[in-house]
Amino acid sequence: MKNLTLKQLRYFEALARHRRFRLAADACAISQPALSMQIKELEEDVGHELFERSAREIRLTGFGQTFAIRVREILRAVDELDELARVSKNSFLSRLRIGIIPTVAPYLLPTIINDLNKAFEGIEIQVRETQTARLIEELKQGDLDLAIVALPISEPALTELKLFDEEFVLVRRHEDGGKPVPERTALPKMRLLLLEEGHCFRDQALSFCNVGSSQPREVMEGSSLSTLVQMVSAGIGITLIPEMAVPMETRSAHVSISHFEAPAPVRSIGMIWRNASPLIKQLMPISEVIRGSSEKMRALSVAS
C-alpha cells in the first residue's frame, strides 16, 4: 500500500460518511467520475473491496468498516497536527469549529459569535448545528473543535465543562395563564407536545414528567421549539421550553409562561471537547467568553 495518499483517504472517508457518490464528491469539491476513480484506485492499492455498490445505495464491506476506523484515526491525527502547527505559529488559533444543539443555537449563538469576534480579533468561526449524538461523533472524528450540549455526556474520550443551569418553563394557552401549574405527572395527560426523537431536550422533558420514552401517551411532535410553541398558541396542547427560549419563541405567540414549583425541571449546558485536542489551552479562555455570553442571555430571559 505504498501509493496511499491523504487525499485518497479523505475521499474514502467522505464516501463512507455520505454513502452517495454525488454527496461525497460535492463535499470534496471534485467530480463524481474523479471520486469514483480515486476510490477504485484505493481499492486496488489495498487489495480489497471497500464498498458494496448497488443502484440505490452504497455501504461499507466488512473490511471497509475496519478500514474506516483506522482511516478516521489517521485523518484526526493529521488534523490535530495541522491545528497544533497553526496554534504554534500564532498567539491564538485562527479558526474555531463549534457544534451546538438546536435547542440552544438560535438563542445563544448570535451572542457567542459576537463576543468571540470581539475577544479574539480575526478568528474564523465555523458553526455546525445538529443533535447531540451527531455532534459527539463529529467531535471524536476531529471535525469539530468543541460542542455546546446538554450535560452530562459521559464519554471517556471527551472533556466536559459546565457553563450554566437553566430551568424549563411551562407553555400553555394564554387563557390558561391564571390556572394553577399542574403537577408534573399530570402533564402527559394534557396532550404534551414534544420535540421529535433524537433531541436530548425531549428525553429531559419526559424524564421530568416521569414518563418512559417507550410508554404510550397522547403526544404530538414537532421539529423545533418554535413549532411546539405555535401549536400551543393554536390550542393543540401544552409544552415545555428552556428559559432562554422564552423571549424569542413567545413574542409572536398567544401563550402564557409559568414556572414550576421546586424542584423545577432543569438542564445543565456545557462545552465538550476531545481529551487529546491540541487546543486545550486555547479552549479555556474561549469557555470564559461563552460563559459570559450565556450569562447575558439568561439575564435577558429572566427579565422578560
Side-chain angles (χ1 to χ4, degrees):
M1 296 192 295
K2 292 185 294 185
N3 296 325
L4 289 186
T5 66
L6 280 175
K7 183 178 291 186
Q8 283 179 319
L9 297 185
R10 293 197 187 278
Y11 292 163
F12 165 80
E13 196 282 327
L15 185 57
R17 179 160 29 101
H18 292 288
R19 306 294 177 93
R20 296 286 188 278
F21 272 99
R22 180 181 61 79
L23 295 177
D26 289 345
C28 296
I30 62 172
S31 66
Q32 279 187 241
L35 177 65
S36 181
M37 182 180 68
Q38 290 287 338
I39 296 298
K40 183 178 179 181
E41 289 181 1
L42 180 61
E43 289 179 320
E44 290 174 355
D45 286 340
V46 300
H48 291 276
E49 287 190 353
L50 299 170
F51 296 96
E52 297 176 7
R53 298 165 174 82
S54 68
R56 306 188 94 181
E57 65 178 353
I58 295 170
R59 65 179 63 184
L60 289 165
T61 62
F63 177 80
Q65 292 175 0
T66 303
F67 190 75
I69 294 172
R70 300 299 186 188
V71 166
R72 286 170 181 144
E73 290 175 352
I74 292 169
L75 294 178
R76 180 167 62 247
V78 170
D79 289 341
E80 288 178 353
L81 283 174
D82 178 63
E83 195 65 67
L84 181 61
R86 290 194 296 109
V87 171
S88 298
K89 285 181 182 179
N90 305 297
S91 59
F92 202 77
L93 74 167
S94 57
R95 181 191 66 177
L96 182 65
R97 300 168 299 173
I98 300 176
I100 188 165
I101 55 176
T103 56
V104 172
Y107 322 111
L108 192 54
L109 195 56
T111 304
I112 287 176
I113 293 176
N114 184 60
D115 290 349
L116 286 174
N117 281 325
K118 287 181 179 178
F120 310 111
E121 186 176 354
I123 189 171
E124 176 192 352
I125 301 172
Q126 299 175 2
V127 177
R128 170 83 160 117
E129 178 190 340
T130 189
Q131 294 176 3
T132 302
R134 185 62 185 164
L135 290 177
I136 291 174
E137 180 183 347
E138 294 183 8
L139 196 59
K140 292 165 73 174
Q141 290 176 359
D143 296 329
L144 295 171
D145 298 315
L146 66 90
I148 299 173
V149 298
L151 301 180
I153 296 298
S154 303
E155 282 279 345
L158 301 178
T159 297
E160 301 181 9
L161 177 66
K162 181 178 173 180
L163 295 172
F164 62 91
D165 290 328
E166 70 164 342
E167 292 187 8
F168 303 170
V169 296
L170 176 66
V171 185
R172 296 182 286 181
R173 295 185 312 158
H174 185 267
E175 295 79 4
D176 295 336
K179 295 181 179 179
V181 177
E183 296 288 334
R184 63 178 183 171
T185 53
L187 297 179
K189 304 172 185 177
M190 303 173 68
R191 186 173 283 185
L192 180 63
L193 310 179
L194 297 172
L195 290 172
E196 58 195 5
E197 289 190 14
H199 289 275
C200 57
F201 189 79
R202 170 195 175 95
D203 298 331
Q204 293 159 349
L206 288 173
S207 176
F208 170 68
C209 299
N210 200 26
V211 176
S213 59
S214 60
Q215 282 185 241
R217 59 194 176 277
E218 185 179 9
V219 65
M220 296 184 70
E221 297 179 343
S223 60
S224 69
L225 295 178
S226 297
T227 300
L228 297 183
V229 173
Q230 292 302 325
M231 290 166 72
V232 173
S233 181
I236 294 176
I238 62 171
T239 194
L240 304 179
I241 65 173
E243 199 166 29
M244 73 166 70
V246 171
M248 182 180 296
E249 300 303 348
T250 62
R251 64 189 177 191
S252 62
H254 197 57
V255 296
S256 65
I257 299 297
S258 302
H259 290 263
F260 292 95
E261 293 184 3
V266 66
R267 68 174 178 175
S268 295
I269 300 297
M271 280 174 49
I272 56 175
W273 60 82
R274 296 186 308 282
N275 297 340
S277 172
L279 305 178
I280 292 176
K281 289 184 178 179
Q282 286 73 26
L283 292 176
M284 295 311 296
I286 284 173
S287 72
E288 292 306 311
V289 174
I290 293 177
R291 192 191 304 276
S293 301
S294 65
E295 288 175 354
K296 286 193 290 186
M297 285 304 300
R298 291 172 60 220
L300 289 173
S301 300
V302 172
S304 66

